[in-house]
Amino acid sequence: MSLLREHAPADHADLPGPATEQMLAAAEERMGISLHGDLRTWLVLNNPDLPEEDVDDEVACCGFDGFPDEGSFFLGIRAMERLYANRSTSCGFDPPDQPDYPFWRNEWIPFLSDQDGWRGKFIDVRDGRVGRWFVGEITVTGEYESMAQYFDSVAETLTRIADGSSPVCRFTEGRLVWS
């Protein structure tokens, strides 16, 4: 976030503040699952939920588009809950006949998505590893060992953009601009 604040202050200023412990506890109760410590730490520092008046009920997920990459965005606690409710199943995994290779498990909490909820990243509350899903493709678990490792990769991307070595993004007038 410090790289975003330094190089894209206008984008950074658009982000809302942190989630409160009360918000997180209420979300855990509604979802029926405890947030992983890394995810909780992220949300206590950065809860990128859109203001209620900016939420579009026509899309599966809402957020600040364009960060960390074009077409995806970090989910705030309300958007996480909404997507989690959309993905979770009564038996705990989907499809129900493939517990060892599911498309989705209830222990996975999404924290990054596209607007349709078709692809994104999740944290496994059992061990803190970060995986990714894309509807119609095999879900990848353990893409990153932790959220810290994932955020290190985001920081590397922002550094490349700041250095001018990204062919698809640049900082212009305090904002990330994707080509």
Side-chain angles (χ1 to χ4, degrees):
M1 295 310 283
S2 62
L3 286 169
L4 187 66
R5 181 176 40 250
E6 178 183 345
H7 298 290
D11 283 337
H12 187 270
D14 288 345
L15 297 173
T20 65
E21 283 296 330
Q22 294 81 6
M23 291 169 69
L24 298 178
E28 288 175 325
E29 186 174 325
R30 286 187 295 268
M31 290 190 298
I33 192 166
S34 295
L35 300 175
H36 186 272
D38 289 349
L39 182 59
R40 179 176 283 280
T41 298
W42 162 251
L43 291 168
V44 167
L45 295 171
N46 307 285
N47 178 27
D49 264 330
L50 288 176
E52 289 285 342
E53 62 273 8
D54 293 341
V55 173
D56 184 350
D57 291 329
E58 300 297 316
V59 297
C61 296
C62 292
F64 290 87
D65 193 23
F67 178 69
D69 57 40
E70 185 176 34
S72 66
F73 48 87
F74 290 116
L75 303 175
I77 192 66
R78 284 190 323 265
M80 273 181 207
E81 278 188 78
R82 187 174 178 181
L83 185 54
Y84 181 82
N86 210 17
R87 296 274 177 235
S88 62
T89 66
S90 59
C91 73
F93 46 87
D94 181 30
D97 62 338
Q98 295 184 8
D100 295 329
Y101 301 102
F103 167 71
W104 192 261
R105 297 188 69 84
N106 288 1
E107 294 92 356
W108 299 341
I109 299 179
F111 68 89
L112 180 123
S113 179
D114 65 344
Q115 284 191 332
D116 298 324
W118 283 49
R119 66 176 173 87
K121 297 202 181 297
F122 60 84
I123 185 167
D124 189 325
V125 300
R126 298 171 299 174
D127 58 15
R129 293 182 309 145
V130 171
R132 64 179 154 85
W133 84 92
F134 194 111
V135 173
E137 293 184 9
I138 295 172
T139 299
V140 175
T141 59
E143 181 180 24
Y144 297 94
E145 288 301 311
S146 66
M147 284 189 79
Q149 189 182 57
Y150 167 71
F151 282 117
D152 284 346
S153 74
V154 172
E156 288 172 15
T157 299
L158 288 175
T159 301
R160 279 194 307 278
I161 295 167
D163 292 345
S165 57
S166 171
V168 296
C169 188
R170 65 188 182 286
F171 293 109
T172 303
E173 296 179 10
R175 297 205 177 271
L176 284 163
V177 178
W178 298 89
S179 43

